[in-house]
Amino acid sequence: MSRPAVFLDRDGTLIEDVGYVDRLDRLQLYPWSLESVRLLRRSGYAVVVVTNQAGVGRGFVREQMVTDVFEMIQRRLAAIDERLDGHYYCPHLIDAPIEAYRCQCSCHKPLPGMIEQAVAELDLDVSRSYVVGDRWTDIQLARSVGAKAVLVKTGYGVTQLADPPPGETADAVLENLIEAVGWVISQPVRSS
């Protein structure tokens, strides 16, 4: 049977948004990030990162750095016997200065490509899943795939709340990821 998932934005949700993470010493996990992953996984959710990484297409960050950041997060989680179930990123831009990343893709949030790939590869039930992020594009992504949407106030969250797109709302607006985890875990189980 397919598992439900919590799809997490990376910068501003799982890790502090410090601009382009072009060196590992700039990676700063929030104090609650590791425990948030542990609580979700122990509650039966797959935990999958879905992140736009336009800095790659703009030439500000090497693509290998995106992988290095993921591996560093996995090592930190391994220290508490946990892990992320998946990691998907979009380096594309329609006007990327680097030709290899210049395209009209289906994976740049709020487009659903990353979640569709995760669902297919990891056997996930998106109808019982959640998207947690600090931008309206995360909320729009949730809506595009039929998941519940949680906006956190970390990262760009407070700024985004001040200027919502017309008619756009989240299922919950919470202070940070650990509060979002508590909210997700407290929700009634939705049948698939």
Side-chain angles (χ1 to χ4, degrees):
M1 184 169 140
S2 299
R3 293 181 298 163
V6 176
F7 298 97
L8 298 178
D9 173 54
R10 191 188 84 174
D11 303 341
T13 304
L14 185 64
I15 69 172
E16 292 188 33
D17 194 331
V18 296
Y20 296 110
V21 181
D22 56 352
R23 302 182 324 262
L24 287 178
D25 63 349
R26 297 193 68 190
L27 169 63
Q28 298 294 323
L29 285 164
Y30 286 111
W32 51 78
S33 294
L34 301 177
E35 187 62 20
S36 294
V37 172
R38 181 199 324 247
L39 288 169
L40 287 169
R41 292 193 78 242
R42 291 191 178 174
S43 296
Y45 290 94
V47 181
V48 179
V49 170
V50 289
T51 178
N52 286 343
Q53 291 299 315
V56 174
R58 290 187 175 114
F60 300 145
V61 178
R62 293 175 300 108
E63 189 167 4
Q64 182 60 48
M65 182 55 59
V66 177
T67 301
D68 292 346
V69 167
F70 168 65
E71 290 171 354
M72 170 86 64
I73 294 168
Q74 287 289 61
R75 284 193 297 275
R76 297 280 304 275
L77 284 163
I80 64 164
D81 295 322
E82 279 301 341
R83 65 182 175 84
L84 293 169
D85 294 279
H87 177 254
Y88 298 85
Y89 66 94
C90 174
H92 308 118
L93 290 169
I94 192 92
D95 59 350
I98 298 177
E99 187 174 353
Y101 302 108
R102 188 181 315 137
C103 68
Q104 178 66 50
C105 67
S106 64
C107 56
H108 195 86
K109 290 189 287 185
L111 297 173
M114 287 186 281
I115 288 183
E116 290 172 346
Q117 184 178 357
V119 165
E121 292 177 358
L122 304 174
D123 190 26
L124 303 174
D125 181 353
V126 75
S127 71
R128 297 186 294 137
S129 295
Y130 298 81
V131 176
V132 180
D134 67 322
R135 294 181 184 254
W136 289 113
T137 52
D138 298 304
I139 304 312
Q140 293 161 345
L141 172 63
R143 300 292 182 233
S144 75
V145 298
K148 293 275 189 178
V150 180
L151 184 71
V152 291
K153 294 181 183 178
T154 50
Y156 283 93
V158 170
T159 306
Q160 295 279 289
L161 274 172
D163 189 24
E168 193 68 66
T169 59
D171 293 296
V173 176
L174 299 158
E175 291 299 319
N176 52 45
L177 178 57
I178 196 72
E179 284 193 14
V181 168
W183 184 82
V184 166
I185 292 170
S186 73
Q187 297 304 296
V189 176
R190 294 182 284 161
S191 58
S192 52

